[in-house]
Amino acid sequence: MQQISNIHVDSMIPLEPPDTFLRRLPIDGKTVALVSQSREEIRRILTGQDDRMLMLVGPCSMHDEVACLEY
């Protein structure tokens, strides 16, 4: 049977579980504050309490900031 999936994959490295990752790279207070503030700002935009536009851009789409802003 001919292989039809992952035909261009050279290798795979399994990701570590989130709890292991977080123990290795703990989140500091500044990061916690940024996440909390960002979530609140997004909530306000989605509920209409803030009239700014919310744009969600995936990491793979954001490799070229100029092209992203142009798009």
Side-chain angles (χ1 to χ4, degrees), residues 29-43:
K30 185 176 178 180
T31 303
V32 170
L34 175 64
V35 169
S36 295
Q37 178 183 348
S38 299
R39 287 178 176 170
E40 177 60 20
E41 289 177 2
I42 291 168
R43 186 193 66 74

Side-chain angles (χ1 to χ4, degrees), residues 4-68:
I4 59 171
S5 62
N6 294 328
I7 60 173
H8 299 289
V9 175
D10 185 46
S11 65
M12 284 193 237
I13 301 170
L15 295 175
E16 59 189 339
D19 60 336
T20 303
F21 182 79
L22 290 172
R23 277 196 303 273
R24 192 166 48 84
L25 296 169
I27 299 172
D28 63 13
K30 185 176 178 180
T31 303
V32 170
L34 175 64
V35 169
S36 295
Q37 178 183 348
S38 299
R39 287 178 176 170
E40 177 60 20
E41 289 177 2
I42 291 168
R43 186 193 66 74
R44 292 179 56 79
I45 292 169
L46 293 176
T47 60
Q49 298 171 354
D50 186 322
D51 65 354
R52 289 183 291 173
M53 178 175 55
L54 176 64
M55 181 184 291
L56 303 175
V57 180
C60 60
S61 301
M62 192 61 185
H63 65 277
D64 183 343
E65 184 177 339
V66 173
C68 180

